[in-house]
Amino acid sequence: MVTTEDLKMKLIDGLGLEDIEVAEIGDEMELFGDDGLGLDSVDAIEITLIVEKEFGVKIKDAGEQSGVFSTPNSLVAYINENK
Amino acid sequence: MRIYDMDTKQYVDFCKVENPITKVEQLSHALYCYENEVFDIIYDKAQPALRAHVKSFGEEFLKQDGMQFLYFTSGTTGTPTGVYKTKENSKKQAWALIDTLPKDMKFNRIVTTVPFVHIYGVDIGGVVAREMNIDVWVKENFLPEELAIEAQVEGTLIVTTPLFIKALNRVKKDVKFKNSYFLTSTAPLSTDDAKEFAGHYKSSVMQLFASTETGMMAYKVDDETVLRAYDCVEIGESDNMLNISSPFVAKRVLNKTIQDVKFPFQTEDIVEMLSEHKFKLLGRSSNLAKVAGKRISTLQIENIVESLENVECALVKVRKDEKALRDEVLDIYVESSVEIKSKDLKTALKKVFGSMHIVFKLYNNMLITKSSVGKKIGFKEKN
């Protein structure tokens, strides 16, 4: 079972978010866009690679990505459902 | 030729769009302007500073007779440079590229992963498709898995960036793209990455060497290290820096005023000339970083950092990491009376660049060393 803490640590490492602590990323914080973590389309591709490499879950559809991958909570739920 | 919207699964006509936001809207509008010879200003409207810059001149002032598009690129001083292109610039360039595509392949569509807010997207993704009279497929957000599916379709020309080549190398899908062909933009793709891609997917990548001001200059395929200039591109050098004369070079540029471009156009690319039409790219003389496909002057970043309270001086260096998808990271060295927080800098960057994610590492407690004329030349830790 993957936790949001596991995911956040992998995102911080994989995306090079060197100045952000796990505790600073809320479970319901938007990953993309101006109001949350501020990630962009390049990070989105990186996240799909991280999720596949670290958790063995493939993301095949960008449509899926925009809904399910909006927050750490929704992303973890997707990973656990598809693991 | 039609635009196929892969998200809504329908074809879209070229049409005038007042405020194009999505990729499909951007391309539809740009091709409408190209087709009807309507002048337009093409830029990323999500960048607040660029939006303000355009607004400061006024659209009427910027409109120039005989010009097709005005693009913007980050000037070396940190102020954006406007680049005027004629329809002829784009059309001749499209045919130069088409002539270099493999003669034994027949292309029936272009699939693009790029936005249409700069010259690469519009001229290569849009105008090339228009001139070849083949459909162009557009999707707002592409994932490597999705691109892999499209690339298996015979006769697909893929207009993308090195990012996707590296991402496909990492996913190592068990598929082949032998009947498709990839074009990538100027951002560096290492010979190792290109070789790995060609070997695993049995396909080829043509890397286009271009800039907004010069248009396309040269190209290389797969793991070649030597760039070949297009037939109608004359290359020369001055102080080891490349200069260009060609029908693709911009006619006018906009800085504080609009000026005609002088030929040959002097670039800031450091090269080794090998023959009349061949050269090696050794580096770039100016302080430009490539972030999300856009050139950003490190001077502009330094100005933003120095605008923060308590910052006395800042120095920005571009660090390259060929193995990462984002191959350029900014190392920011700050001399200040208090520690600067990343969050504060991010907020300041956001005001200028909008949602563009700029990856940086901040080094506080630094002393920026300067030459006798005040030029920043280095840094050391404060005692």
Side-chain angles (χ1 to χ4, degrees), chain B residues 133-363:
Chain B
N133 196 23
I134 56 177
D135 292 346
V136 55
W137 287 42
V138 179
K139 193 171 193 307
E140 198 60 30
N141 296 299
F142 249 114
L143 296 179
E145 293 273 343
E146 294 171 312
L147 189 61
I149 291 168
E150 299 304 327
Q152 291 171 66
V153 177
E154 187 170 347
T156 301
L157 181 61
I158 292 141
V159 175
T160 187
T161 58
L163 165 82
F164 275 94
I165 302 298
K166 292 182 198 177
L168 285 166
N169 277 347
R170 275 168 55 178
V171 295
K172 280 273 186 310
K173 286 195 67 69
D174 189 20
V175 292
K176 304 293 171 222
F177 308 144
K178 57 187 177 185
N179 295 314
S180 294
Y181 200 76
F182 286 70
L183 301 178
T184 70
S185 51
T186 304
L189 178 68
S190 72
T191 50
D192 285 347
D193 282 328
K195 194 174 179 178
E196 185 181 346
F197 180 83
H200 181 81
Y201 290 109
K202 306 292 177 219
S203 186
S204 272
V205 189
M206 179 186 278
Q207 298 169 62
L208 308 178
F209 180 60
S211 75
T212 309
E213 295 93 331
T214 61
M216 292 194 321
M217 294 177 269
Y219 64 97
K220 59 181 182 175
V221 179
D222 295 336
D223 59 346
E224 291 175 350
T225 55
V226 174
L227 283 154
R228 280 172 277 175
Y230 292 95
D231 285 345
C232 53
V233 173
E234 285 177 35
I235 57 174
E237 66 171 319
S238 172
D239 293 333
N240 294 328
M241 287 191 283
L242 182 69
N243 58 50
I244 292 282
S245 294
S246 91
F248 319 145
V249 176
K251 300 295 181 200
R252 289 175 203 153
V253 291
L254 164 79
N255 287 303
K256 285 180 179 164
T257 58
I258 296 167
Q259 296 158 321
D260 287 338
V261 169
K262 289 182 186 140
F263 284 71
F265 184 89
Q266 184 63 54
T267 74
E268 298 193 326
D269 299 305
I270 303 166
V271 295
E272 178 190 348
M273 302 299 279
L274 300 174
S275 68
E276 195 183 346
H277 263 86
K278 291 183 178 176
F279 61 95
K280 273 188 181 176
L281 181 65
L282 303 179
R284 227 163 29 200
S285 73
S286 66
N287 297 318
L288 291 170
K290 198 109 183 174
V291 177
K294 300 168 190 74
R295 277 192 293 163
I296 290 182
S297 164
T298 54
L299 293 178
Q300 191 178 9
I301 306 283
E302 285 174 7
N303 290 339
I304 294 168
V305 180
E306 287 171 0
S307 72
L308 295 174
E309 205 174 344
N310 299 314
V311 174
E312 285 150 37
C313 194
L315 179 68
V316 177
K317 298 272 183 193
V318 181
R319 178 166 30 106
K320 294 185 191 305
D321 181 357
E322 288 184 347
K323 290 293 161 205
L325 288 184
R326 259 182 224 284
D327 43 29
E328 293 190 345
V329 176
L330 301 180
D331 284 329
I332 302 178
Y333 301 91
V334 182
E335 183 178 331
S336 61
S337 51
V338 297
E339 186 177 318
I340 301 304
K341 304 273 185 216
S342 293
K343 273 182 192 163
D344 296 331
L345 179 54
K346 275 181 190 161
T347 305
L349 291 171
K350 203 159 124 182
K351 279 183 190 161
V352 177
F353 298 111
S355 55
M356 189 192 299
H357 184 201
I358 296 172
V359 179
F360 63 84
K361 185 164 173 59
L362 196 54
Y363 297 87

Side-chain angles (χ1 to χ4, degrees), chain B residues 6-43:
Chain B
M6 297 173 71
D7 292 311
T8 61
K9 297 184 172 48
Q10 58 187 2
Y11 286 96
V12 176
D13 292 330
F14 307 164
C15 62
K16 193 171 167 56
V17 181
E18 279 309 321
N19 186 25
I21 301 293
T22 66
K23 286 182 184 173
V24 168
E25 289 171 347
Q26 290 162 358
L27 182 60
S28 170
H29 180 71
L31 287 176
Y32 168 86
C33 292
Y34 181 81
E35 199 71 7
N36 295 288
E37 300 186 7
V38 174
F39 172 77
D40 195 34
I41 305 165
I42 295 197
Y43 66 105

Side-chain angles (χ1 to χ4, degrees), chain B residues 313-315 317 335 367-380:
Chain B
C313 194
L315 179 68
K317 298 272 183 193
E335 183 178 331
L367 190 66
I368 309 300
T369 52
K370 293 178 182 168
S371 70
S372 56
V373 293
K375 188 180 173 192
K376 295 170 192 168
I377 51 174
F379 58 87
K380 56 185 179 184

Side-chain angles (χ1 to χ4, degrees), chain B residues 55-68:
Chain B
K55 202 176 170 188
S56 71
F57 287 104
E59 291 201 5
E60 272 311 303
F61 173 81
L62 295 176
K63 190 173 180 180
Q64 292 279 295
D65 287 341
M67 296 295 143
Q68 176 66 75

